[in-house]
Amino acid sequence: MPGLTSAEKNFLSQITQLVEENISNEQFGVSELAEAAGMSRSNLLRKIKKITDLSASQFIRNVRLKYASELLEEGAWTVSEISYKVGFGSPSYFIKCFRELYGYPPGELGKHQEADAENLEEQAEVPPLVPKKKFPFTLISFFAIVLIAAVLYVVLRPASPGKANIKSIAVLPFLNDSNDTSNVYIINGLMEATLNNLQQINDLRVISRTSVESYRNNPKSTAEIARELNATYLVEGSGQKIDNQILLNIRLIDTRTNNDLWGQQYRRDTEDIFSLQADVAKNIAEQIEAIVTPEESKRIEKKPTDNLQAYDLFLKGLDFLRIPTEDNLQKAVPLFKTAIQEDKEFARAYAGVAISFFMLDRGKSVKQFADSINYYADQALFYDSKLPQSLTAKALFYMAHNEYELALPYLEKALEISPNSDVVLAFMVDLYVNYLPDTEKYLEYALKGLEIDIVAAYDSGAASYSYLHISNAFIQSAFIDEAQKYIDISLDLLPENLYSQYVKAYIQYARDEDMQRLNKTLLAIFEKDKSRLDVLQEVAKSYYYLGDFETAALYYKPFVEAREKYKLDIYPSENGKIALTFDKTGEKELADKYFNRYKTWAEKDPSVYRNYSLAMYYSYLGDTEKAVEFLDKFSQKDKFNYWIVLFTAVDPLSENMQLHPQYKKIFARIENKFENYHKRIKKSLEVKDLI
C-alpha cells in the first residue's frame, strides 16, 4: 500500500498480527482488537479508517480472508474447515465474503492462483485490505418481528467448531415419479414423515423443511446444496403410487465425499405406509451411525392412525397447512375434520385443526376460533400426550388467550421430544421476544434456530428476516458488535428491508446516543414507504424523545387513527408516550383516553416490565413517591432489555420521577443489574457453545 508512513505501516502490521493471533476466535471483533492494541475503540476506528478507508470490522474481515487464502493454497483443509479456522461462524457467509474480496469463490482458488500470486506480489508490504471495487461490501442493519405463519427465522449459520461431531442432515423434497399430479400430496407426506421422524432423534441436527423446500426443482448440484445448507448428509427421494402400492426410491449422500452412502428402493402396499416411513428413517439413522434411543425408536414406529382413509385426508390437509395462507388454511380445516370423522382418535388431525385455527386468528383483534382451539388441542392431547403437534396445539390455545406462562411448558415438552422442530423453536422465540420478554432466552432459542433453519441459500427475503431476529436478540442484550454483524448480513440480503433499516438506526443510537441522527434516519426510512405504521410510530417517538411534541403529534395522530380504524392490537406500550404528546399539545381528552389505556395495559402486563411501565405512569401524574416505588420494584429484576438503560433518561415520561432524591440510586442499581446480566448471558451462551 504505497504512500504510507513508516509509523502507519508498523501500526497496520501490529494490528494485523493481533487479528492473526486470534484468527479462529469468531468473537474477536473491534472491541477486542482495541483492547489488545491498548487503544480506545474510537481511536482505533478513526486510525484504521484514515489509513485504509475501511471500517475496523472490514479490516478484521479482510485479514481473516487473506489468511484463509493462504490456507487454501496449502490444500490441507476443506473450505468449511478453513471458514472455522479463520473465525467465520458460517461457511456460506465466508464464501460470500471471499467472493466479494477476490472476485471468485474459495473453491475456485486453483484456477486463479497465478493471477492472485501477481496481485499478492504487488501488495507484499501489507495484507490486501481494500476490496476490489468490482465486488464491494454492502453494510447494513437490524430489528425483528416474528411471523410464525412462514415459520421463518433462520440462516446460514452452521454448527460451530465445538459441535463438529453433530451429524447434520437435510431431507430434500421428494419428487413425484408419476405423471399423475393428484398423488403429489402422498409423496410430500412421505417426505414430511421422514423429516418428522428424523427430527425426533437428538443425535442429529436436521435442517428444517422451510430451508429445503425451494430445492424441489432446483438445478443446483448436491455439492452446492450441501454447502448452502451446511449439511453433512443429504437425503433424496422420489416415488409414486401405483394402484395399491407405493414405490419409493431413497438415496443418502455423504456430502464430504459427494458419494452415495446408501440407497434403496422400497415397494410396499399402501396399508404398510407407516412401517415404510419408520423403516426409511431408521435405515438412514443406521447408515450415518446416529444414536437412536429406545424411546425415540418407539415414537418413530408408532402409527398415527389405523385408518388409511383418515390418513389420506390428513395428508391432503397437511399439504395445505404446509403453506399457511388464509385460503390454504380454510381448505385444510375441513380435510382434517373429515379425517377425524373417519377416526375419532386421530391425534394428528385434531392438532391440525387447532394449529390451523390459531393461524387463521393470528394478528386479528377479534379471535374467531380461540375457544375451538382448546377443544381440538385437548382431544389431540387425550389421544396422544407425547405427540409434539398435540403439545404445540395446547400451547397455541394458551397463546390465543394471552396466557403465555401456561403455554411455555407445552412448548418446552414438545421441543424435548422433537429437538429439531423449527416450528416449536419459532413459537419459543415469539414468546420470549413479544409476550414473556426474556433477552437471554430469546437469544438462546434464536441461535438454536440458526442451526436447523437455513433459508438464505434460496430466499434472501426470508433469510434477511432471520438475520434480523439474531441481530435484534443480540442488541437487546447489549451485544452491539454482534448485532451489527447480523444486521449487516440482513440488509445485504435484502437492502429494502425497512425493519432492518430502522433497527440499524437504533443500533447506531446504541453506539453514539445521537437522537438527532436517529430522527433523521427514521424520517428518511419513512419517506420510502409512508404506509408503514411501524415506521410511522418510530418517527413520532423520535420527535417525542427530542421534546418536539407538536411534530410528534402530527405523526402519532395518523398512527392511532389507523390503529382504531383497522382494529389493530399493536404497540400498546406506546400509549403512554402518545398520551403525553397529546397532553403537551393541549388535547386533554385524547391524552386521558390513551393514558387510561396505558394504565389498563400496564396493570395486566405479565412481563418483567409491568412495574417499569407503572413507574412511568405515576411519574407523569406527578406522584413521584409511587413512581419510584414501582421503579424500585422493577430494579429487583434482572432480565430486561438494553433499551431500558438507554432511553429512560431521555423519556419525558420519567422527568418528574428523576427529581426524586432516590431516583439516581435506584437507576444506578438498574444499570448495574443489566451489566451483570449481560456478563451472565455471555458466559451462558459460551458454555452452551452458542457464541
Side-chain angles (χ1 to χ4, degrees), residues 427-572:
F427 283 121
M428 292 289 274
V429 170
D430 190 23
L431 276 181
Y432 283 124
V433 70
N434 291 321
Y435 307 110
L436 299 173
D438 185 323
T439 51
E440 181 177 9
K441 290 292 186 182
Y442 175 26
L443 185 52
E444 176 184 342
Y445 284 107
L447 288 172
K448 284 181 179 179
L450 294 182
E451 297 179 345
I452 62 172
D453 211 343
I454 320 278
V455 298
Y458 65 86
D459 188 341
S460 59
S464 177
Y465 284 95
S466 298
Y467 283 110
L468 175 61
H469 262 293
I470 302 306
S471 178
N472 189 45
F474 272 122
I475 192 61
Q476 286 194 9
S477 299
F479 292 94
I480 298 175
D481 288 341
E482 290 82 356
Q484 186 71 54
K485 168 186 172 182
Y486 285 104
I487 209 61
D488 285 351
I489 301 171
S490 172
L491 282 169
D492 197 17
L493 289 162
L494 189 66
E496 62 269 28
N497 185 342
L498 296 192
Y499 291 123
S500 292
Q501 288 181 30
Y502 72 71
V503 179
K504 177 182 180 179
Y506 279 99
I507 293 177
Q508 182 61 46
Y509 180 80
R511 291 190 187 281
D512 59 26
E513 298 186 35
D514 186 338
M515 189 61 69
Q516 291 283 358
R517 176 174 178 169
L518 175 63
N519 171 257
K520 290 178 181 178
T521 305
L522 291 172
L523 276 171
I525 295 169
F526 183 60
E527 287 298 318
K528 297 175 183 178
D529 185 353
K530 292 188 176 182
S531 69
R532 289 286 295 267
L533 294 182
D534 54 335
V535 186
L536 177 63
Q537 69 89 27
E538 294 293 345
V539 172
K541 185 161 54 180
S542 66
Y543 279 113
Y544 162 86
Y545 282 134
L546 287 167
D548 185 350
F549 298 108
E550 293 290 340
T551 308
L554 293 177
Y555 288 92
Y556 271 139
K557 277 191 175 180
F559 169 74
V560 296
E561 287 169 0
R563 194 171 60 173
E564 299 278 338
K565 179 179 179 180
Y566 298 108
K567 296 181 173 58
L568 299 174
D569 184 20
I570 56 174
Y571 301 106

Side-chain angles (χ1 to χ4, degrees), residues 283-302:
N283 287 339
I284 291 171
E286 181 181 351
Q287 292 298 324
I288 62 179
E289 299 180 348
I291 298 171
V292 182
T293 68
E295 185 63 27
E296 290 167 350
S297 181
K298 184 178 178 181
R299 285 197 290 266
I300 289 171
E301 292 172 354
K302 184 173 182 178

